[in-house]
Amino acid sequence: MRPLIVIGNWKMNGNLASNQDWIKTVARGMESGMPSGRQFAVCPPFPYLSQCATLIKEHSLAFLSLGAQDTSAHEVGAYTGEVSSVMLKEMACKYVIVGHSERRQMHHEADEIIAAKALQVLDAGMTPVICVGETADEKNSGRAVEVVRGQVAKQLMVLQDRLADCLIAYEPVWAIGTGKVASAQVAQDMHRAIRLQLAEFDEDVASHVGILYGGSIKSDNAVELFAMPDIDGGLVGGASLDPQEFLAICQA
Ligand code: 13P
């Protein structure tokens, strides 16, 4: 059985005071127990990982794990400004997002770099969350499945059956931060297409990989999305900044 996973991606938001309030509120909300068979994580910016790791420990927040938003494609060395996966593991991270569309678009990250990052994450003993998704133009020209299949194929080429230990996040670029959530059926169809592509490679990999949806998830659309058979949870941006909204999505 694939677990249902909800991961909050704070992007470049938060500060020492608001992070503390967020963890405190989520801890209170999760105190009364959370639905079983589910995993939850939050990905703050790098400088706050240590603070959030300490707060999660202080509140004995067994339900909540920590993740990072990116990592270096290199293991160690003269790479000014980079953060290695081994460092993230030391900061108690369990998940690392790689290939987010904001990094693909604004930092020109190619599939090869993203696969190299995913390998670093795996080698350090964490779970990569590999983001894929088409732009509005690609969708409007009827190429959504082709584009996403292409992105997944590049990961398969490098990661092979190690993809079984990864999560894939389908995040249509046109749905990110726009309020235009993909309908549950549109998202399900793409998740199904990804699952079938994985099965063409290896049935076992296909049945293991969790495929999360991301793009304008809110508490009022999460229930319908998460009910879909191939949607194994969500990668939540804007709505994860509000701890009450994040809790409501986790309950969905
Ligand atoms: P929003 O939930 O703000 O649309 O962002 C989604 C996202 O990019 C998560 O990684």
Side-chain angles (χ1 to χ4, degrees):
M1 260 294 269
R2 302 183 304 268
L4 194 67
I5 304 177
V6 177
I7 300 178
N9 173 12
W10 284 358
K11 309 193 178 183
M12 202 172 73
N13 292 290
N15 57 58
L16 289 173
S18 69
N19 303 344
Q20 189 153 13
D21 288 344
W22 193 97
I23 302 262
K24 212 196 282 176
T25 306
V26 168
R28 216 175 296 134
M30 289 187 170
E31 232 164 44
S32 46
M34 293 299 286
S36 65
R38 301 185 185 189
Q39 297 173 17
F40 309 102
V42 62
C43 302
F46 291 138
Y48 300 130
L49 286 171
S50 170
Q51 179 207 15
C52 291
T54 306
L55 286 168
I56 286 173
K57 212 164 160 189
E58 272 174 17
H59 286 90
S60 312
L61 252 176
F63 294 109
L64 190 71
S65 307
L66 199 59
Q69 299 174 17
D70 188 29
T71 188
S72 174
H74 305 281
E75 197 181 332
V76 65
Y79 301 102
T80 303
E82 294 281 274
V83 174
S84 80
S85 288
V86 173
M87 295 170 187
L88 296 175
K89 174 77 177 171
E90 263 199 328
M91 289 293 111
C93 286
K94 185 169 173 195
Y95 303 98
V96 182
I97 299 170
V98 295
H100 192 281
S101 64
E102 284 149 19
R103 298 214 58 87
R104 288 178 187 261
Q105 293 192 323
M106 297 176 212
H107 303 274
H108 311 292
E109 283 189 15
D111 291 298
E112 291 74 13
I113 297 281
I114 294 161
K117 290 182 174 195
L119 277 179
Q120 289 295 328
V121 176
L122 286 166
D123 286 347
M126 299 175 290
T127 304
V129 183
I130 303 169
C131 300
V132 297
E134 81 284 359
T135 62
D137 280 353
E138 289 161 345
K139 170 179 168 265
N140 295 337
S141 57
R143 296 173 48 231
V145 173
E146 176 197 332
V147 167
V148 170
R149 275 185 70 99
Q151 292 169 341
V152 172
K154 295 261 181 53
Q155 299 307 310
L156 267 174
M157 216 151 61
V158 176
L159 299 168
Q160 304 270 314
D161 52 8
R162 294 189 80 185
L163 204 67
D165 299 321
C166 302
L167 294 169
I168 291 177
Y170 169 57
E171 297 206 308
V173 181
W174 49 268
I176 295 179
T178 59
K180 292 187 205 154
V181 64
S183 74
Q185 193 57 54
V186 164
Q188 161 61 23
D189 289 348
M190 184 62 87
H191 284 229
R192 187 81 204 133
I194 296 171
R195 184 98 54 211
L196 289 174
Q197 181 181 8
L198 298 177
E200 285 163 24
F201 170 76
D202 186 316
E203 290 279 353
D204 212 36
V205 170
S207 64
H208 271 92
V209 174
I211 308 177
L212 315 184
Y213 168 80
S216 297
I217 297 184
K218 303 214 162 41
S219 55
D220 58 11
N221 56 34
V223 174
E224 204 188 346
L225 284 162
F226 297 167
M228 289 291 160
D230 287 290
I231 299 184
D232 304 315
L235 185 53
V236 188
S240 74
L241 297 174
D242 175 348
Q244 295 293 1
E245 181 66 4
F246 180 73
L247 279 167
I249 294 169
C250 291
Q251 296 282 3

